């Protein structure tokens, strides 16, 4: 049964019979892509390492995750270190602000000595507020970002 076009224009919301729906949709439905949460896409865009290009400065190791933190939510671990921040908590505050709406959790801190001329990075020390970061995990992340550098770690020093 065909419905005259002038009937459809009289109503604010047009109605269709089930056998007429095919006339208004494409012949083949598009295949569905796998679902990908906003947080997964956002996490992939976050650089794993962001440290100053040279000097000695404090750093923190941070877990970044979706607001609904649980065992099924994806997360990443990142390193952040800046000379402009006098305290490890200043770095954390900056990271939290930049990564919203993602959430963060500090895993610890320390210091980094970055010598770009010698291609050396030394990771050491601890944070009085957040405790000592896992320097080995930090070194792995930094080695991926600076593959040609000599990366060393130490538990000595503050």
């Amino acid at each position: 049964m065909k419905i005259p076009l002038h009937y459809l224009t009289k109503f604010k919301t047009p109605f269709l019979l089930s056998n007429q729906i095919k006339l208004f949709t494409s012949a083949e439905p598009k295949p569905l892509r796998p679902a990908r949460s906003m947080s997964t896409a956002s996490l992939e865009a976050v650089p794993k390492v962001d440290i100053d290009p040279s000097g000695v400065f404090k750093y923190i190791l941070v877990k970044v995750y979706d607001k609904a933190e649980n065992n099924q939510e994806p997360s990443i671990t990142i390193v952040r270190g800046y000379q402009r921040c006098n305290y490890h908590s200043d770095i954390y505050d900056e990271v939290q602000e930049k990564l919203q709406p993602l959430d963060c959790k500090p895993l610890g801190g320390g210091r980094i000595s970055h010598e770009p001329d010698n291609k050396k990075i030394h990771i050491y020390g601890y944070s009085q507020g957040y405790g000592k970061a896992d320097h080995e995990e930090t070194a792995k992340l930094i080695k991926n970002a600076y593959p040609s550098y000599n990366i060393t770690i130490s538990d000595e020093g503050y």
Side-chain angles (χ1 to χ4, degrees):
M1 170 180 137
K2 284 194 170 188
I3 299 174
L5 188 57
H6 69 276
Y7 284 144
L8 293 176
T9 58
K10 287 184 180 181
F11 301 99
K12 289 184 180 178
T13 306
F15 61 91
L16 301 171
L17 300 175
S18 62
N19 63 348
Q20 294 175 312
I21 292 175
K22 289 182 182 175
L23 298 173
F24 297 99
T25 61
S26 63
E28 292 295 320
K30 292 182 181 178
L32 295 175
R33 288 184 281 169
R36 190 169 167 179
S37 71
M38 181 65 162
S39 63
T40 303
S42 299
L43 286 174
E44 290 172 2
V46 175
K48 300 258 195 288
V49 176
D50 183 18
I51 60 174
D52 278 346
S54 66
V56 176
F57 44 87
K58 294 181 180 187
Y59 88 91
I60 59 172
L61 194 61
V62 180
K63 178 182 174 185
V64 181
Y65 54 90
D66 191 271
K67 292 265 186 206
E69 180 187 18
N70 62 37
N71 292 334
Q72 278 118 31
E73 287 296 329
S75 66
I76 61 169
T77 302
I78 63 172
V79 177
R80 297 293 184 264
Y82 311 117
Q83 282 183 328
R84 66 181 171 271
C85 296
N86 293 323
Y87 300 99
H88 292 96
S89 60
D90 294 338
I91 300 169
Y92 181 66
D93 291 344
E94 190 174 312
V95 169
Q96 268 191 312
E97 187 178 319
K98 282 183 183 178
L99 294 181
Q100 285 181 2
L102 299 173
D103 207 357
C104 307
K105 178 173 144 184
L107 301 175
R111 291 182 181 259
I112 291 177
S113 173
H114 187 176
E115 299 177 32
D117 295 339
N118 298 324
K119 293 194 176 221
K120 289 183 182 180
I121 293 178
H122 182 61
I123 303 162
Y124 64 99
Y126 62 93
S127 162
Q128 289 183 340
Y130 300 129
K132 184 175 127 341
D134 182 344
H135 294 327
E136 288 183 22
E137 186 172 358
T138 303
K140 286 177 190 174
L141 291 168
I142 290 177
K143 187 66 175 173
N144 286 335
Y146 295 87
S148 63
Y149 274 56
N150 180 26
I151 312 292
T152 58
I153 61 173
S154 170
D155 288 333
E156 304 288 321
Y158 166 71

